[in-house]
Amino acid sequence: QKQDLENTYHKLANELSAARKKFALRLEKEMTNTIRSLSLPHGEFKIALEADNASLSLHGKEKVVFLIKTNPDQSLQPLGKVISGGELSRLSLAAHLALANKTSIPTLVFDEVDTGLSGATAEKIGKLLRTLGGSYQVFCVTHQPQVAACGHHHLLVEKCFIEKSTYTRLRLLNAEEKTREVARMLGGEKITQKTLDHAKEMLESA
């Protein structure tokens, strides 16, 4: 019985190894293309399949290691050693785009995935997040008007004071309030007609 079980294990593990090799190449390509479009022009994502020395490992015959480089003069290194918070957010976004409709996770939360990015790149991220919204429920915390304009709904986070206590309040904005909030994000506290027109244009193009 033990020999039969071992034979079955090796058969299934070999099938898993073959599938990993096949789909790792596809995922590497998709991930690399996406992160390069998000202000990481020299980014490269690789999947290393390292032999697992355990005789009968629960996860098959190899360990899966994600490798990345974000600059041309770097070598590929394990994800956890080299990536910053902002880069990790973009990599996470790229992964979820590549795996859309292949996972059971219903809700995704991105916290300032656009930190430190230019307006043009922020707009790309906003549109990618909107695309992702076709497969998931997506919550995105952002200070970028280009990203906010792409949302189907806009929740305003406000700090308020009631009887010397501080509270945080979430408020769903209607269409007019959303336009004014995007305009405020664009131009500051003083909102002009030009800023409002710019905000309307951004919302329409999104």
Side-chain angles (χ1 to χ4, degrees):
Q1 284 181 327
K2 180 183 176 184
Q3 188 61 53
D4 286 344
L5 287 171
E6 284 190 14
N7 291 341
T8 301
Y9 171 88
H10 288 298
K11 177 178 179 294
L12 295 173
N14 288 335
E15 290 175 2
L16 179 59
S17 296
R20 281 173 169 163
K21 289 174 184 175
K22 176 182 176 181
F23 289 103
L25 294 173
R26 186 187 303 178
L27 186 58
E28 285 174 353
K29 184 177 179 180
E30 289 186 31
M31 293 279 287
T32 296
N33 288 341
T34 302
I35 62 176
R36 284 183 178 178
S37 73
L38 300 176
S39 285
L40 291 172
H42 303 290
E44 187 177 353
F45 178 80
K46 286 285 183 183
I47 299 173
L49 301 176
E50 299 180 351
D52 191 338
N53 294 324
S55 57
L56 297 174
S57 167
L58 178 65
H59 302 291
K61 293 188 174 182
E62 57 275 316
K63 294 177 181 177
V64 180
V65 182
F66 294 146
L67 304 172
I68 193 169
K69 69 173 184 177
T70 55
N71 296 305
D73 56 344
Q74 288 178 332
S75 59
L76 287 160
Q77 296 185 57
L79 196 63
K81 290 187 177 180
V82 294
I83 201 161
S84 69
E87 291 167 344
L88 185 60
S89 293
R90 278 174 272 174
L91 194 70
S92 175
L93 175 57
H96 283 103
L97 283 165
L99 299 173
N101 302 320
K102 296 182 181 69
T103 177
S104 59
I105 298 172
T107 301
L108 303 174
V109 181
F110 292 97
D111 186 7
E112 299 188 9
V113 67
D114 46 34
T115 299
L117 300 182
S118 66
T121 306
E123 185 177 354
K124 289 180 185 176
I125 282 187
K127 290 180 177 178
L128 287 175
L129 286 167
R130 189 177 178 93
T131 299
L132 206 54
S135 303
Y136 304 89
Q137 180 186 44
V138 178
F139 286 92
C140 179
V141 181
T142 183
H143 293 287
Q144 289 271 21
Q146 292 88 348
V147 174
C150 292
H152 294 94
H153 306 284
H154 196 145
L155 290 164
L156 178 65
V157 183
E158 297 176 304
K159 185 183 289 185
C160 57
F161 305 95
I162 302 174
E163 296 180 356
K164 297 182 180 180
S165 295
T166 307
Y167 297 89
T168 301
R169 178 172 64 184
L170 282 176
R171 185 162 59 89
L172 181 62
L173 304 183
N174 59 33
E176 182 180 347
E177 290 172 328
K178 182 173 180 177
T179 302
R180 291 191 66 82
E181 183 58 23
V182 172
R184 187 195 64 76
M185 295 170 80
L186 280 166
E189 292 299 325
K190 186 177 181 180
I191 300 174
T192 65
Q193 188 57 49
K194 284 186 177 180
T195 314
L196 282 169
D197 291 340
H198 188 188
K200 288 177 184 175
E201 184 181 346
M202 287 180 65
L203 289 163
E204 288 169 4
S205 68

